[in-house]
Amino acid sequence: MYAKDYHDLGTPAAHGQSVTLDIDGATVTVPAGTSIMRAAALADRDVPKLCATDTLKHFGSCRVCLVEIEGRKGFPASCTTEVAAGMKVRTQSEALAKMRRGVLELYVSEHPMGSCPDSSRCELETLAGEHGITQSRFGGPKTARAHTHQPVDASNPYFRFDNDLCIVCSRCVRACEETQGTFALTIEGRGLESRVSASQNQPFLESECVSCGACIEACPTGALMEKSLLTAGLPQQAVTTTCAYCGVGCSLVAEVTDGAVSRMVPNRDGRANQGHACVKGRFAYGYATHADRVTKPLIRKSITDEWTEVSWDEAINYAASEFKRIQARYGKDSVGGITSSRCTNEETFLVQKLVRAAFGTNNVDTCARVCHSPTGYGLKHTMGESAGTQEFVSVQHADVIVVIGASPTEAHPVFASQMKRRLRAGAKLIVVDPRAIPLVKSPHVEADYHLRLLPGTNVAVINALAHVVVTEGLTKDDYIAERCERESYEKWKKFVADPINSPEAMEPITGVKAELVRGAARLYAKGPNGAIYYGLGVTEHSQGSTMVMGIANLAMATGNLGREGVGVSPLRGQNNVQGSCDMGSFPHEFSGYRHVSDDSVRATFEAMWKVPLSPEQGLRIPNMFEAALDGSFRGMYIQGEDLAQSDPNTSHVTAALSALECLVIQDIFHNETAKFAHVFLPGTSFLEKDGTFTNAERRISRVRKVIEPLCGYADWEVTMRLSNALGYPMNYRHPSEIMDEIAALTPTFTGVSYEKIDRLGSIQWPCNDQAPAGTPTMHVGTFVRGKGKFYVTAYVPTHERTTSKYPLLLTTGRILSQYNVGAQTRRTPNLAWHSEDRLEIHPHDAEARGIEHGDWVGVTSRAGDTVLRVEITERVAPGVVYTTFHFPESGANLITTDNSDWATNCPEYKVTAVQVVKVAQPAAWQQRRQAAKPASPRKRRAPMDNPA
Ligand code: SF4
Ligand code: SF4
Ligand code: SF4
Ligand code: FES
């Protein structure tokens, strides 16, 4: 369905008791509070409209939607008038038609017929045409346009604003407020002079606009329009798919013109995003066809050789022969594979199957190791399931929202907009973060408490919050008695009640004033509905798993689990972090989080896969690096992951990768890891394949092929060919068959199939006989593990401490316009907003070092050093510095250390002791990198010596 074909009901849904009325002789029953406009549209008696759209509250300015109501004088606007029982409405009459024509003619005088670049998408021109209007009687030099003519604002890389086409309906202004929550737009001036203005009458690019596109989606004319539409013709095809950036998992509709995506629009029926998107998903898809794409397989014998283009057969056979050779010489466990949270569930499942069944080892891990592995550990131990408890809409029922170690407006923007809507409606906000994230204070949103803790002291803060809850009698004792293990609770209660965990005792450690901790604890506990959302600022610590358990403890003790409006929700960074974990990517677990040592589980996989499987846990990523360095691990297959850029302590990682005899990379671009590879298998973007992603709400959504794979094969097909070349047969004809196998082997996926996803739109697992339509809220009535289990979470300071040599604490994060290591977004016009990573430093720390805004600074840690440009800001506290990590030339991971979570080895990215000094220029290697061309040089095909 094209976006403009969507049946817009005019005003949002209401939820009152049923009311029955008569519209044009038809009996219509709708919830009380519904507008006449919506009721009429639901009965297929659509009333003309211009200023109304069903994603926004009614406004009532255009007056084209007038109707007649029996027994009432005048002609009320149907968008602002609510239905009433027994009401009789007429939507069509001579008088109404005459009035509508008059109003439309006035609009057409401001916006002549045919003036939109694409009149078929213009609601005004369509409506005027339907009313027989070809031109206006009111046109002339004294119209508003003559007064307000402005040049077209084309500053934004993706869309432009043409004031001459604007009918000042305010839909864009309201979309920016209600849908996006940015408040970047206003209507400036009065009467004929009124016009849309961005921020302080600035070009869009320089304004507060975050380029989400909600205003374009709302605009009924071509005044706000994607630049891509100015050149593309009408779409010939529209494909509903799922965004491949963050864990919100927005449903998008890709419109295709002449075989290329002409625009991407948010799917109004998307359950996760409800018709909204952000600058990445909506606009930054151009990387998929970027000239840097590698589309031909490459091989080389040594990493010092040049690459050679070869056929698929040759590349696959070479990779397989190398893996076989290595295993024959060094043993079965000398090889392994890495799955990617960017790939589909089906692709991930196949890679781990290849490692377990074709390689015959459990040496498989996933990039989720370095982000949310502590989430799996902490939530599984306390509640019995390794996933978030809520669906996103649950936040609309929260009274108190707690955001810990996450910046939703940057990393999960569409969910942030939903959260901000709830906050504007009155929910309270507690932010626990070393940095003043944008949510702390933004238009119409302000945190009630910002617990600005020192990096590395999360567990001390969560224990202090729990201390207040327990010692001030704020626990939900009935809930605990009914739903949790008594013994574990008593032990935990005694532990947190100890004065050593009081906010006062913890204040010198955390840097957070005790009274703020006490206030925040009371606010959360009294809710009545308290919802916790957290991110990598929780997990990427030496006590990441402890902190996740601490959060779960607090939620259980306050009864904040098992219903809407509450819960513990990890905000997953990449699109398919949840899915990659679910699919059995960890070395100790099959899909559905079942241990490889469990004989009965292993037996079901062995029966299906027809091969004996190892009961021994395999190597995690850091163990693979260690084993590579000690010589026992020699071959690796990495799908869609850039370990050399994304993993900590780069020099350690690259030393390990250099030690491998065969590194096979499957990716869409040459990346840092490919520098150490022997075989490069071209990958496919999300636009080029079928499959599914699972978002942070456990929602499984379809990824649908929009264009043909540039390299000829989808990633799952390449894995399958590699497996066949290794001698373990795989014969899937379509990813739906892989999903059928997943469903057959995974209890939480038993009821999942492509047919069902297509029918329901999306499904939240568990989906099985007990929950055939999926499970929006987890742990209702009882926890998955039976009784909730409390864990004692003693605070253990990280080894990474400040000293006189390294006096500052570095923490890291993301920015809205860029994504992760930037491989995709750096190849899009998103560079207009963020073209380099900067080091944020507090004015006091900058002054003490003689550093000024924009200076280059050397950042040195115990692991290494790099150079960044500086930004002086009070967003960070004194003693703390912060950077993003989207550009390889920033070398952020050169300075992060080997410290990791005690339970899962998730790296401690968020705490690195550093020194910062002013320097003259970037390091020599950074200058070389910036000067270098992005694509790797390679020669045309020349057969390798005996590649088999
Ligand atoms: S693109 Fe989004 S943020 Fe920018 S003006 Fe439009 S609605 Fe507001
Ligand atoms: S830009 Fe579009 S949505 Fe905004 S006021 Fe003008 S016509 Fe209405
Ligand atoms: S990046 Fe995230 S929030 Fe933005 S469109 Fe994609 S899934 Fe939605
Ligand atoms: S649509 Fe009702 S007044 Fe504009």
Side-chain angles (χ1 to χ4, degrees):
M1 176 175 53
Y2 305 133
K4 293 288 181 194
D5 292 341
Y6 171 81
H7 187 193
D8 188 329
L9 302 174
T11 60
H15 302 285
Q17 302 283 325
S18 290
V19 170
T20 300
L21 69 160
D22 180 297
I23 301 178
D24 295 339
T27 302
V28 184
T29 301
V30 291
T34 303
S35 69
I36 291 175
M37 173 177 279
R38 186 177 176 95
L42 285 167
D44 278 333
R45 284 163 168 79
D46 290 64
V47 183
K49 60 184 186 307
L50 278 177
C51 70
T53 180
D54 62 10
T55 53
L56 303 172
K57 285 184 222 146
H58 62 69
F59 191 57
S61 70
C62 74
R63 313 301 291 172
V64 292
C65 70
L66 309 182
V67 290
E68 294 172 6
I69 301 175
E70 195 174 285
R72 286 201 200 173
K73 284 189 182 158
F75 301 92
S78 63
C79 63
T80 55
T81 310
E82 288 182 12
V83 295
M87 190 181 247
K88 285 197 170 169
V89 178
R90 281 182 83 189
T91 66
Q92 307 294 336
S93 72
E94 252 318 300
L96 288 170
K98 194 173 166 202
M99 276 187 292
R100 286 174 189 156
R101 273 199 301 273
V103 174
L104 286 169
E105 271 194 81
L106 277 170
Y107 278 111
V108 169
S109 73
E110 302 293 314
H111 177 114
M113 297 297 278
S115 56
C116 263
D118 179 355
S119 296
S120 70
R121 294 179 193 263
C122 175
E123 291 179 36
L124 170 60
E125 292 190 37
T126 304
L127 207 53
E130 286 167 3
H131 284 75
I133 297 164
T134 51
Q135 59 180 21
S136 173
R137 286 170 292 157
F138 309 116
K142 294 209 172 149
T143 61
R145 294 299 144 227
H147 292 273
T148 60
H149 176 75
Q150 302 277 333
V152 172
D153 177 354
S155 59
N156 185 291
Y158 298 114
F159 65 87
R160 61 104 177 94
F161 171 59
D162 184 348
N163 183 58
D164 285 2
L165 302 177
C166 175
I167 58 170
V168 203
C169 67
S170 283
R171 271 164 65 162
C172 55
V173 178
R174 290 179 285 138
C176 194
E177 294 174 6
E178 295 175 31
T179 308
Q180 166 57 23
T182 291
F183 293 78
L185 301 179
T186 48
I187 299 288
E188 194 184 62
R190 288 176 170 275
L192 291 179
E193 304 288 340
S194 54
R195 62 180 297 274
V196 172
S197 163
S199 293
Q200 312 306 312
N201 205 2
Q202 291 162 288
F204 270 80
L205 187 62
E206 291 165 28
S207 72
E208 286 136 329
C209 166
V210 293
S211 204
C212 70
C215 54
I216 308 170
E217 197 57 21
C219 182
T221 71
L224 281 161
M225 188 182 244
E226 295 92 342
K227 287 179 177 173
S228 61
L229 289 187
L230 295 174
T231 47
L234 281 177
Q236 292 113 12
Q237 198 193 355
V239 183
T240 302
T241 188
T242 304
C243 179
Y245 280 117
C246 85
V248 178
C250 294
S251 180
L252 303 171
V253 179
E255 293 184 356
V256 182
T257 309
D258 297 332
V261 177
S262 48
R263 73 168 183 160
M264 193 75 85
V265 284
N267 178 9
R268 293 199 186 186
D269 293 325
R271 290 290 305 275
N273 55 320
Q274 301 170 349
H276 192 32
C278 80
V279 62
K280 293 190 285 286
R282 177 153 186 144
F283 295 116
Y285 52 83
Y287 70 87
T289 48
H290 193 278
D292 287 352
R293 279 289 299 272
V294 182
T295 56
K296 297 278 195 308
L298 307 167
I299 56 179
R300 59 183 174 182
K301 278 193 148 179
S302 155
I303 59 172
T304 53
D305 292 345
E306 276 188 38
W307 286 108
T308 302
E309 273 184 17
V310 295
S311 68
W312 273 104
D313 280 346
E314 192 172 332
I316 298 264
N317 289 336
Y318 181 68
S321 68
E322 278 295 277
F323 285 128
K324 282 194 219 167
R325 177 186 66 75
I326 290 169
Q327 285 191 299
R329 179 153 179 206
Y330 302 103
K332 227 167 29 174
D333 294 325
S334 59
V335 300
I338 308 290
T339 71
S340 170
S341 299
R342 284 184 212 164
C343 293
T344 62
N345 286 320
E346 294 75 3
E347 288 161 349
T348 306
F349 185 83
L350 276 207
V351 171
Q352 64 88 34
K353 178 175 177 179
L354 175 138
V355 171
R356 297 186 204 278
F359 286 164
T361 171
N362 285 322
N363 289 340
V364 62
D365 209 354
T366 171
C367 55
R369 166 74 52 215
V370 300
C371 67
H372 266 289
S373 49
T375 288
Y377 185 93
L379 298 186
K380 179 96 178 173
H381 278 73
T382 49
M383 294 186 262
E385 193 54 271
S386 305
T389 62
Q390 308 302 118
E391 68 175 328
F392 291 142
V393 293
S394 161
V395 78
Q396 302 306 333
H397 302 274
D399 301 301
V400 181
I401 297 169
V402 186
V403 178
I404 310 177
S407 184
T409 52
E410 306 282 359
H412 302 87
V414 165
F415 176 61
S417 293
Q418 297 174 15
M419 187 185 269
K420 286 198 283 187
R421 196 176 315 146
R422 180 62 196 145
L423 291 167
R424 291 197 303 276
K428 304 289 183 194
L429 174 65
I430 299 167
V431 172
V432 184
D433 202 291
R435 188 166 168 265
I437 58 168
L439 211 50
V440 169
K441 193 164 173 30
S442 61
H444 303 275
V445 169
E446 187 160 358
D448 296 83
Y449 290 94
H450 177 200
L451 309 186
R452 196 174 198 171
L453 74 178
L454 276 170
T457 63
N458 281 336
V459 173
V461 167
I462 205 80
N463 287 346
L465 289 165
H467 176 91
V468 178
V469 168
V470 164
T471 57
E472 294 191 8
L474 300 171
T475 50
K476 291 282 185 303
D477 294 341
D478 291 351
Y479 180 96
I480 297 163
E482 185 194 336
R483 301 202 39 178
C484 302
E485 283 185 5
R486 166 64 49 189
E487 199 184 321
S488 71
Y489 172 63
E490 293 298 342
K491 209 169 152 192
W492 172 80
K493 186 177 172 186
K494 189 164 171 242
F495 159 73
V496 291
D498 191 311
I500 60 163
N501 286 316
S502 69
E504 290 72 19
M506 285 298 184
E507 185 176 319
I509 293 167
T510 62
V512 184
K513 289 212 175 325
E515 73 249 30
L516 293 181
V517 176
R518 287 194 177 274
R522 290 170 193 143
L523 185 65
Y524 169 71
K526 289 177 183 169
N529 280 351
I532 299 177
Y533 296 89
Y534 71 87
L536 304 181
V538 159
T539 54
E540 290 177 343
H541 286 273
S542 60
Q543 282 202 291
S545 294
T546 315
M547 180 61 181
V548 174
M549 291 192 287
I551 289 171
N553 289 338
L554 187 64
M556 289 190 292
T558 51
N560 275 314
L561 287 158
R563 62 181 186 278
E564 274 199 311
V566 297
V568 172
S569 301
L571 296 172
R572 310 290 191 157
Q574 302 197 77
N575 52 324
N576 202 33
V577 175
Q578 183 67 57
S580 75
C581 297
D582 300 342
M583 292 299 103
S585 296
F586 290 125
H588 65 296
E589 286 173 335
F590 290 115
S591 59
Y593 306 97
R594 290 154 309 147
H595 208 279
V596 292
S597 63
D598 184 323
D599 292 343
S600 62
V601 172
R602 217 171 51 255
T604 60
F605 280 83
E606 288 174 338
M608 175 77 83
W609 292 353
K610 300 186 174 45
V611 66
L613 297 170
S614 168
E616 302 295 327
Q617 173 173 329
L619 297 174
R620 296 170 172 179
I621 293 173
N623 308 130
M624 291 183 197
F625 292 152
E626 293 302 331
L629 287 169
D630 77 20
S632 58
F633 188 77
R634 302 281 179 144
M636 207 171 182
Y637 168 38
I638 304 177
Q639 183 179 74
E641 191 53 25
D642 189 1
L643 298 180
Q645 196 187 339
S646 61
D647 281 41
N649 197 348
T650 307
S651 31
H652 178 72
V653 174
T654 53
L657 294 174
S658 312
L660 296 172
E661 290 183 17
C662 179
L663 174 58
V664 177
I665 296 287
Q666 189 176 4
D667 217 311
I668 60 176
F669 298 116
H670 270 286
N671 56 27
E672 295 301 298
T673 311
K675 290 177 180 160
F676 307 92
H678 305 84
V679 180
F680 191 104
L681 304 174
T684 42
S685 73
F686 78 116
L687 292 174
E688 297 156 67
K689 58 197 175 190
D690 282 295
T692 56
F693 292 149
T694 306
N695 76 352
E697 319 160 279
R698 296 167 277 105
R699 184 183 301 285
I700 310 161
S701 302
R702 280 281 275 115
V703 177
R704 294 187 179 85
K705 187 160 76 172
V706 178
I707 56 175
E708 290 302 317
L710 267 55
C711 64
Y713 294 103
D715 297 334
W716 63 270
E717 292 174 290
V718 175
T719 307
M720 194 168 81
R721 291 189 68 177
L722 180 57
S723 184
N724 288 331
L726 283 162
Y728 179 76
M730 289 189 189
N731 294 297
Y732 305 97
R733 287 162 301 175
H734 188 267
S736 60
E737 296 178 353
I738 307 173
M739 179 53 83
D740 292 343
E741 184 172 317
I742 295 166
L745 287 167
T746 316
T748 44
F749 276 64
T750 307
V752 180
S753 67
Y754 277 26
E755 180 279 321
K756 192 186 253 186
I757 299 173
D758 289 347
R759 186 158 36 87
L760 300 181
S762 58
I763 301 170
Q764 285 172 276
W765 69 258
C767 173
N768 43 32
D769 289 345
Q770 293 76 48
T775 310
T777 308
M778 298 281 288
H779 312 297
V780 178
T782 181
F783 287 102
V784 170
R785 73 181 297 282
K787 298 268 185 186
K789 184 166 182 175
F790 287 82
Y791 281 80
V792 168
T793 54
Y795 167 64
V796 180
T798 168
H799 296 311
E800 188 64 11
R801 311 219 176 135
T802 53
T803 59
S804 54
K805 193 170 175 195
Y806 304 110
L808 302 171
L809 284 178
L810 169 75
T811 190
T812 59
R814 299 176 184 200
I815 199 158
L816 171 68
S817 56
Q818 295 293 332
Y819 174 73
N820 222 29
V821 296
Q824 293 136 288
T825 43
R826 281 187 280 112
R827 292 180 168 95
T828 71
N830 277 25
L831 288 172
W833 289 278
H834 185 82
S835 56
E836 65 176 4
D837 294 321
R838 292 190 165 207
L839 187 84
E840 292 186 3
I841 188 168
H842 190 274
H844 293 169
D845 294 322
E847 192 181 358
R849 289 164 175 77
I851 294 167
E852 290 184 11
H853 196 75
D855 280 350
W856 291 106
V857 290
V859 188
T860 310
S861 74
R862 295 178 180 95
D865 56 88
T866 190
V867 175
L868 292 163
R869 202 192 295 275
V870 99
E871 182 171 339
I872 299 174
T873 171
E874 293 188 3
R875 280 193 293 272
V876 288
V880 176
V881 289
Y882 167 90
T883 188
T884 48
F885 52 87
H886 303 301
F887 292 81
E889 51 269 29
S890 309
N893 280 330
L894 284 167
I895 40 183
T896 49
T897 67
D898 278 336
N899 292 341
S900 66
D901 174 43
W902 62 272
T904 65
N905 280 140
C906 181
E908 191 173 47
Y909 289 117
K910 301 297 180 187
V911 194
T912 309
V914 295
Q915 177 57 292
V916 174
V917 293
K918 185 172 169 173
V919 296
Q921 57 192 6
W925 72 267
Q926 290 171 303
Q927 293 186 34
R928 278 196 304 276
R929 237 210 101 87
Q930 274 167 334
K933 289 206 164 59
S936 170
R938 58 180 185 265
K939 61 186 178 188
R940 304 299 296 177
R941 190 196 186 299
M944 301 247 321
D945 303 336
N946 189 17

